[in-house]
Amino acid sequence: MVEARNFVGARGILARLNHQLPSPVGKPLIRSAFYFKEALQLILLDRSNPHHQQSQFSSHPLTSQWDIVQKLSAYKAFSEVSPIIQFSNFTCIQTLLEELNGSDRIHIIDFNIGFGGQWSSFMQELAQRRSSVAGSVWLLKITVLASHYSQNDLELQLIQETLSHFASDLNIPFEFNVHCLDSFDPSKLLGMGGEAVAVNLPVASANLSFMALLCLAKQLSPKIVVSVDQGCERSGLPFLQYFLHAFQSSMVLMESIDASGTDQEMTSKIERFLLQPRIESSVLGRHGLDDKMVPWRAHFATMGFVPIRFSNFTETQAECLLKRVSIKGFHVEKRQASLFLCWQHNELVSVSAWRC
């Protein structure tokens, strides 16, 4: 009904679903249905009242210190019960280190920094270079491109303070800057002599089209672009098929979390503060775009990017990582020059690297 823009009919169905699914409690199928129902409801509310109040279960926008603490707690819990974050971070970091080997001035452009934990690990690896033939790094810069950025963004302030202190402890010269993506001029970052530029561009970043972000990234002349696809994005599908694929992916992710044996309270926190915002952003973002979309990998090819094949070391270490996970059912697959983390033969996340 939403795809056909029959919003009157959609509201009637949602009224029944709200009665049948009042809260995200039950098996993964039920919980996933609840969150996707909520995302569809946001589409309808946005159409009828742009200033509507979100439901008690909707987890964004997160602005208060309490919200950030809860989100950090959920992120930590998720990293402990699922190998997704470790797999993504390790694969990206190892590939960056290999491509940037020998560079003493590194500039990371990050379109979606998350909590910045991956860059702490990156710094640790850089610090170990001092005793190796690779030599030391004279400067590490991280520039975050954020949508709707304000100087009072508590989350980014926390990230900056944490990374700055960590770099200081490791004696790595460090700069951290934030630019508002909506008004960003790439020429501001060009002409920085001697810097090796690397871009972190996760799929479904920010509120601009992926093609627009990729065009922006190419103007920065990066040595490498790393891209993490958290939900194995299918933006090339029409909205209905896209929705069903996302629903299935969410359900598989919840099944993998349940298999870890984590308690209901922690599972609910992970879903509320991490998964639900991602679901809502995914559904609302795809609904607002043309149905005739091009798959995101095709955009890389169109822009002249070519995939970087992962080294044997990177692949082996990713597999070794899973051997340390107590839950059975995870495995790594290599396809389309990407590494996929799967659960019971279903894709959870993929990592790819590109150069132009």
Side-chain angles (χ1 to χ4, degrees):
M1 289 291 187
V2 170
E3 183 182 45
R5 302 197 177 278
N6 183 346
F7 298 115
V8 174
R11 288 189 182 94
I13 295 172
L14 277 170
R16 296 195 296 273
L17 283 175
N18 285 333
H19 177 71
Q20 295 171 358
L21 299 171
S23 62
V25 177
K27 294 185 177 181
L29 172 66
I30 301 300
R31 303 196 317 262
S32 186
F34 172 86
Y35 294 124
F36 278 84
K37 178 264 296 184
E38 291 287 288
L40 287 174
Q41 186 155 273
L42 287 177
I43 292 176
L44 299 182
L45 289 172
D46 281 338
R47 287 190 59 83
S48 60
N49 178 14
H51 306 291
H52 72 270
Q53 295 292 317
Q54 293 177 332
S55 80
Q56 62 172 316
F57 295 103
S58 185
S59 57
H60 60 81
L62 297 177
T63 54
S64 72
Q65 291 182 347
W66 183 87
D67 286 324
I68 294 173
V69 168
Q70 293 301 309
K71 191 176 178 183
L72 275 168
S73 175
Y75 181 86
K76 182 177 183 294
F78 183 51
S79 65
E80 292 173 351
V81 303
S82 172
I84 288 178
I85 293 175
Q86 295 180 55
F87 170 84
S88 302
N89 288 352
F90 169 80
T91 306
C92 286
I93 289 168
Q94 183 59 35
T95 306
L96 287 171
L97 289 168
E98 292 172 3
E99 286 296 309
L100 300 174
N101 186 37
S103 302
D104 55 17
R105 297 172 62 87
I106 297 174
H107 193 169
I108 305 291
I109 313 294
D110 200 330
F111 284 84
N112 190 344
I113 195 169
F115 284 108
Q118 68 274 27
W119 303 127
S120 296
S121 301
F122 186 66
M123 288 180 191
Q124 284 183 311
E125 294 295 334
L126 292 180
Q128 293 178 7
R129 284 187 178 191
R130 296 193 183 100
S131 58
S132 70
V133 293
S136 61
V137 172
W138 291 357
L139 176 65
L140 172 64
K141 293 169 65 174
I142 295 179
T143 297
V144 177
L145 299 181
S147 294
H148 311 301
Y149 167 66
S150 74
Q151 296 293 330
N152 298 320
D153 192 311
L154 295 175
E155 201 165 304
L156 282 174
Q157 288 177 11
L158 176 62
I159 293 169
Q160 179 175 4
E161 291 174 5
T162 302
L163 291 178
S164 296
H165 289 149
F166 197 74
S168 177
D169 291 341
L170 294 173
N171 294 317
I172 295 177
F174 180 65
E175 291 182 18
F176 186 95
N177 300 290
V178 182
H179 292 280
C180 182
L181 182 60
D182 307 279
S183 58
F184 174 68
D185 180 2
S187 63
K188 293 180 179 179
L189 298 184
L190 298 177
M192 303 291 186
E195 290 184 355
V197 176
V199 172
N200 178 41
L201 179 57
V203 177
S205 297
N207 294 322
L208 299 177
S209 74
F210 192 73
M211 188 64 169
L213 296 176
L214 202 53
C215 287
L216 181 57
K218 187 169 184 179
Q219 293 179 59
L220 301 171
S221 302
K223 288 191 68 173
I224 179 176
V225 176
V226 291
S227 192
V228 176
D229 182 358
Q230 287 280 8
C232 295
E233 188 81 8
R234 296 293 187 273
S235 56
L237 296 175
F239 178 72
L240 176 58
Q241 282 84 356
Y242 174 92
F243 182 93
L244 292 173
H245 172 79
F247 174 79
Q248 177 70 23
S249 296
S250 171
M251 188 169 64
V252 169
L253 175 56
M254 291 177 189
E255 288 173 352
S256 71
I257 294 173
D258 285 0
S260 70
T262 189
D263 60 73
Q264 182 178 334
E265 181 180 356
M266 190 55 67
T267 298
S268 297
K269 179 179 287 189
I270 292 171
E271 291 176 1
R272 179 183 176 188
F273 289 96
L274 298 184
L275 304 189
Q276 185 176 7
R278 187 192 306 169
I279 290 169
E280 292 177 358
S281 177
S282 173
V283 173
L284 270 68
R286 181 62 186 88
H287 181 259
L289 300 175
D290 190 334
D291 243 9
K292 295 181 180 179
M293 294 289 293
V294 176
W296 65 266
R297 292 177 191 276
H299 285 312
F300 274 103
T302 300
M303 292 298 299
F305 286 88
V306 294
I308 299 174
R309 296 197 173 276
F310 293 106
S311 66
N312 291 334
F313 178 78
T314 302
E315 294 178 27
T316 302
Q317 287 300 302
E319 293 172 352
C320 289
L321 172 69
L322 297 187
K323 291 179 181 178
R324 299 199 297 267
V325 177
S326 58
I327 316 157
K328 303 303 179 183
F330 292 102
H331 66 279
V332 176
E333 291 185 11
K334 181 180 178 182
R335 283 181 273 125
Q336 300 174 306
S338 299
L339 285 184
F340 289 79
L341 175 63
C342 302
W343 163 259
Q344 305 288 13
H345 304 290
N346 294 290
E347 301 166 356
L348 290 175
V349 63
S350 73
V351 180
S352 59
W354 308 77
R355 68 165 65 96
C356 56

